[in-house]
C-alpha cells in the first residue's frame, strides 16, 4: 500500500506530522525527547497536528519525501520557529535516505534546527551538491556525512570549509576524475575517513607535495572497485602523512595476481599502513612481504624496477631466489632387485603394500609369494637390510628412493 500523498510525492510536513504525531509516536521521557507545539492554526484539511513528539534521532528514510509542502502548511508547521528549535536542541542524527530530494532547496539560515546534528545521511536522495554545501555551513558540528547513490559525477568547489567533518561516505557515485576528489581536501580539512568505493576513480594525479597538504589528517581510505591500473597510483597513497588503513580490492591492476601475491605486493608498497582490506598487518607479515617483493622483481629490467624495490634492497640486500623444494609424496621408485646371483632393475609403486610387491616380484625371481623373504636396503643408510615382514604395510612408509635395493631370499624347507 502506497503512503498517502499526491502524484508528486509526499511533503516533509505530511511525513513529520504523521510519523511523530502523538498517536503514532507516544512521548517517551529521557534525554533528547521534545514536545513541539504548533500554535498557529493550520489550514483546513492540513496534516499538521497541534503537537509533535520529536526524538533525538529523526529517521525519515524511504518516506517518499519530494517537497517541503505548500506555503500555508509550512507557515503553520514552522510558526514560532525559535520555539521549535529550542525544543529539539539535542538532535544529533538525521537520516533522510531514499527520499527524492533532487528539487529540494534551502534558504540560508533556514536549517538552524539542525545545528546540533553530527551525523547526516542523505543516501539515494539525488540531493544537489549545492544543497549539501549549504547544509554543511548550517550544521556547525557535523562530523559524518553519507552521500551514497546520488549519481554525482562532479562536485562544485566551495570557498566555505567544514572544519568539523571527520567521515565522508560517498560510495556508488561516478567520481572518476581525481580533480573532483581533490576538492574534498579543501572543503573538509579535518577529514579522517574517506569511503569512495564503487566510483571507478581512474588515477591519483597530484604529486607528493600537493597530496601531503591536501589530506593532512586522513587515516583511512576505501577505494574498492576503482579503475587503477598503475602501481604509481598505489605508491601515491604513501604521501598522505597519517594514512593507516587502506581498502583496495577489485581494481584492474591486481586482477592477474594470486591472492597471496596481491596482498604481499600491496603491503610492500605501503610501508606505513597497519590495516589492509580489514586485516591487521603484523611485523612478521610485513617482512615476509617485503622480501617477497624483492624476489618478485629480480628478473625485471633496471628501467622497469619500481622505486620501492631500491629502498627494500637497501634494507635487506639483494636476495637470492628461494630454492624450489618439491614436498609432494613420491608415487614410483626405481630399485634394484637382488635374488641370489640375479640383479634386475624394477619400477615399483610406492602406494602398494608389501603383499602386492611380493606378487609383482614373483615374475622377476620365479618364486611364489610364500617361498620368499624380502628385505629393503637403503643405500644411504649405515644400517643393514630391513626385513619387510608385514604384508599390509605400505611401501611409502619405508621412504624408498631411486637406487635403493630389494633383496629377495628364498625360504628353505
Amino acid at each position: 500500500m502506497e503512503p498517502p500523498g499526491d502524484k508528486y510525492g509526499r511533503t516533509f510536513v505530511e511525513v513529520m506530522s504523521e510519523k511523530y504525531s502523538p498517536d503514532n509516536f507516544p512521548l517517551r521521557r529521557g534525554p533528547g525527547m521534545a514536545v513541539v507545539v504548533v500554535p498557529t492554526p493550520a489550514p483546513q484539511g492540513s496534516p499538521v497536528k497541534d503537537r509533535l513528539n520529536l526524538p533525538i534521532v529523526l529517521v525519515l528514510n524511504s518516506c517518499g519525501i519530494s517537497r517541503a509542502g505548500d506555503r500555508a502548511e509550512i507557515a503553520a508547521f514552522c510558526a514560532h520557529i525559535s520555539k521549535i528549535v529550542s525544543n529539539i536542541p539535542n538532535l544529533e542524527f538525521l537520516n533522510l535516505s531514499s527520499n527524492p530530494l533532487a528539487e529540494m532547496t534551502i534558504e540560508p539560515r533556514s536549517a538552524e534546527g539542525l545545528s546540533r546534528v553530527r551525523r547526516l545521511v542523505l543516501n539515494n536522495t539525488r540531493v544537489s551538491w549545492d544543497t549539501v554545501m549549504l547544509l554543511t555551513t548550517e550544521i556547525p558540528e557535523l562530523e559524518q556525512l553519507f552521500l551514497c547513490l546520488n549519481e554525482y559525477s562532479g562536485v562544485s568547489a566551495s570557498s566555505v570549509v567544514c572544519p568539523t567533518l571527520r567521515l565522508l561516505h560517498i560510495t556508488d557515485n561516478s567520481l572518476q576524475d581525481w580533480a573532483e576528489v581533490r576538492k574534498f581536501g579543501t572543503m573538509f580539512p579535518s577529514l579522517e575517513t574517506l569511503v569512495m568505493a564503487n566510483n571507478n576513480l581512474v588515477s591519483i594525479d597530484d604529486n607528493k607535495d600537493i597530496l601531503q597538504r591536501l589530506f593532512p589528517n586522513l587515516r583511512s581510505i576505501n577505494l574498492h572497485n576503482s579503475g587503477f591500473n598503475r602501481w604509481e597510483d598505489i605508491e601515491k597513497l604513501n604521501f598522505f602523512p597519517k594514512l593507516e588503513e587502506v581498502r583496495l580490492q577489485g581494481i584492474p591492476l591486481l586482477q592477474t595476481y594470486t591472492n597471496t601475491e596481491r596482498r604481499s605486493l600491496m603491503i610492500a608498497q605501503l610501508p606505513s599502513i597497519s590495516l589492509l582490506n580489514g586485516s591487521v598487518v603484523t611485523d612478521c607479515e610485513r617482512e615476509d612481504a617485503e622480501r617477497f617483493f624483492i624476489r618478485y622483481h629480480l628478473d625485471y629490467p633496471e628501467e622497469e624496477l619500481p622505486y620501492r624495490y631500491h629502498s627494500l634492497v637497501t634494507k635487506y640486500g639483494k636476495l637470492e631466489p628461494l630454492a624450489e623444494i618439491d614436498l609432494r609424496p613420491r608415487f614410483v621408485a626405481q630399485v634394484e632387485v637382488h635374488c641370489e646371483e640375479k640383479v634386475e632393475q624394477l619400477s615399483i609403486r610406492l602406494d602398494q603394500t608389501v603383499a602386492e610387491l611380493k606378487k609383482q616380484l614373483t615374475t622377476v625371481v620365479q618364486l611364489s609369494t610364500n617361498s620368499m623373504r624380502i628385505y629393503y636396503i637403503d643405500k644411504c643408510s649405515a644400517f643393514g637390510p630391513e626385513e619387510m615382514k608385514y604384508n599390509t604395510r605400505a611401501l611409502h612408509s619405508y621412504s624408498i628412493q631411486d637406487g635403493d635395493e630389494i633383496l629377495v631370499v628364498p625360504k628353505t624347507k
Side-chain angles (χ1 to χ4, degrees), residues 73-256:
E73 288 180 355
I74 296 172
F77 189 78
C78 296
H80 301 287
I81 188 65
S82 61
K83 293 183 180 179
I84 295 177
V85 172
S86 65
N87 276 305
I88 51 172
N90 295 316
L91 180 64
E92 295 183 354
F93 176 34
L94 178 59
N95 185 350
L96 290 169
S97 296
S98 301
N99 289 293
L101 304 180
E103 304 302 323
M104 183 180 75
T105 58
I106 297 178
E107 297 297 327
R109 295 183 299 279
S110 64
E112 292 178 354
L114 306 178
S115 61
R116 296 293 297 277
V117 168
R118 297 178 184 275
R119 298 174 64 196
L120 179 61
V121 184
L122 298 171
N123 296 335
N124 194 29
T125 60
R126 310 301 193 272
V127 62
S128 72
W129 188 256
D130 289 340
T131 299
V132 171
M133 288 295 94
L134 182 56
L135 285 170
T136 61
T137 61
E138 297 284 324
I139 307 176
E141 299 183 22
L142 186 63
E143 295 181 358
Q144 299 182 9
L145 180 60
F146 296 78
L147 298 169
C148 309
L149 295 163
N150 283 331
E151 299 183 354
Y152 297 136
S153 58
V155 298
S156 56
S158 173
S159 58
V160 180
V161 301
C162 180
T164 58
L165 196 72
R166 301 287 186 270
L167 180 149
L168 177 61
H169 204 293
I170 193 165
T171 66
D172 296 281
N173 286 283
S174 300
L175 298 171
Q176 301 181 22
D177 192 337
W178 179 254
E180 305 304 321
V181 181
R182 183 189 298 124
K183 298 171 187 176
F184 298 150
T186 303
M187 292 184 283
F188 311 122
S190 299
L191 197 66
E192 296 179 357
T193 301
L194 176 59
V195 184
M196 276 196 55
N198 306 325
N199 272 278
N200 199 29
L201 179 67
V202 175
S203 64
I204 300 176
D205 296 331
D206 288 322
N207 59 34
K208 179 179 180 179
D209 292 338
I210 294 176
L211 292 175
Q212 285 179 331
R213 296 194 304 268
L214 198 59
F215 292 101
N217 297 296
L218 192 67
R219 297 183 180 275
S220 175
I221 192 167
N222 184 331
L223 295 171
H224 283 338
N225 298 318
S226 295
F228 293 169
N229 55 25
R230 304 178 307 162
W231 279 109
E232 289 84 348
D233 293 313
I234 309 300
E235 292 174 350
K236 287 183 178 181
L237 296 176
N238 291 313
F239 300 150
F240 300 132
K242 294 186 179 179
L243 192 66
E244 299 172 342
E245 178 179 11
V246 171
R247 292 177 181 265
L248 191 57
Q249 294 180 319
I251 64 174
L253 173 66
L254 301 178
Q255 295 305 309
T256 59

Side-chain angles (χ1 to χ4, degrees), residues 376-384 399-405:
Y376 166 57
I377 301 175
D378 182 350
K379 296 188 71 172
C380 296
S381 172
F383 298 100
S399 300
I400 299 175
Q401 302 294 320
D402 291 340
D404 288 344
E405 299 178 3

